[in-house]
Each structure stands twice: as C-alpha cells, then as structure tokens.
C-alpha cells in the first residue's frame, strides 16, 4: 500500500508551482480556466467528471492527480462504493500498474477523508 502523504503532496505541488504561477501567469490562468470549464456541472455531473479525472490519474500513474481528485471527490460527497467501482474499471483497463495506483487512491481516500465521513461505506 502506498505511503504517500497526499495532502502534503498537494501542498508541495502548490508551493512548488507558486513561482511558476507568477512568471507564467497567463498560462496558469488559462489552465485554471480550462480546468474550471471542463469540470463544471453540465450534462455530465461534476462528480462523474471528477471520477473520470481520477481514473485517468490512476491509469497514468500520477500521484498528484490522485491527491487533487480524491480531495475534490470528498467535497462532492462521492461514496467509497462509487470510488471502488470506478477503480475496478481502472484495473480492467490498466492491468497491474493501475491496480497498484488503485491501492494508492484508496489510501488517499482514507487519509484525506473529512472526519465526518470516515464511517462512510
């Protein structure tokens, strides 16, 4: 099981990108605009979009993506059952490497859970 500190990783990424945000502000503003537009509620729900984004993060083996999208899924009241079902598709499509990152996503899910949702199935 992963020993990543996903909350710490997110913080490190944000801190590491702070100077880049200043020197490349137009690019980062454009990326932020793209992210907000792509993830906005629409015909596909914001939660389903976050599940898709996490699936891509798992299959592309991106620990930062796993952290950011797990955090977002908690905010969108995703259930562990929804997470696990999505991860099963990742394993189907991505094989063993996806299974290893599915374990990482599950660890992130538990470690980043708000206190009120720890007992969530």
């Amino acid at each position: 099981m992963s020993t990543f500190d996903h909350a710490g990783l997110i913080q490190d990424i944000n801190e590491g990108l702070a100077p880049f945000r200043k020197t490349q502000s137009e690019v980062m503003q454009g990326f932020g605009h793209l992210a907000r537009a792509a993830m906005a509620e629409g015909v596909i729900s914001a939660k389903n979009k976050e599940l898709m984004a996490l699936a891509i993060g798992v299959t592309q083996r991106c620990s930062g993506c796993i952290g950011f999208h797990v955090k977002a899924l908690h905010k969108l009241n995703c259930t562990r059952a929804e997470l696990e079902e999505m991860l099963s598709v990742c394993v189907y499509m991505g094989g063993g490497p996806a299974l290893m990152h599915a374990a990482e996503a599950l660890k992130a899910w538990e470690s980043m859970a708000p206190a009120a949702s720890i007992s969530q199935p």
Side-chain angles (χ1 to χ4, degrees), residues 3-94:
T3 58
F4 268 81
D5 168 16
H6 288 87
L9 178 61
I10 289 170
Q11 182 177 349
D12 289 347
I13 290 169
N14 283 328
E15 289 172 3
L17 287 176
F20 189 72
R21 281 188 186 95
K22 289 179 182 173
T23 63
Q24 299 300 312
S25 62
E26 287 185 46
V27 170
M28 292 305 290
Q29 288 172 9
F31 183 80
H33 182 73
L34 175 63
R36 285 186 299 280
M39 301 309 282
E41 193 78 26
V43 176
I44 298 172
S45 72
K47 180 167 62 172
N48 282 330
K49 290 178 179 186
E50 285 294 345
L51 285 165
M52 286 188 270
L54 180 56
I56 292 167
V58 167
T59 58
Q60 293 296 307
R61 297 177 221 118
C62 177
S63 296
C65 297
I66 290 170
F68 282 105
H69 295 293
V70 163
K71 181 179 178 180
L73 284 166
H74 276 300
K75 289 181 181 177
L76 291 168
N77 298 313
C78 181
T79 66
R80 185 177 173 110
E82 290 169 317
L83 174 77
E84 289 179 354
E85 191 167 324
M86 178 276 299
L87 290 173
S88 70
V89 175
C90 291
V91 173
Y92 163 61
M93 296 301 293

Side-chain angles (χ1 to χ4, degrees), residues 100-119:
M100 300 304 107
H101 283 78
E104 181 178 328
L106 289 166
K107 175 74 173 172
W109 179 264
E110 292 301 321
S111 69
M112 297 175 77
S117 69
I118 289 182
S119 64

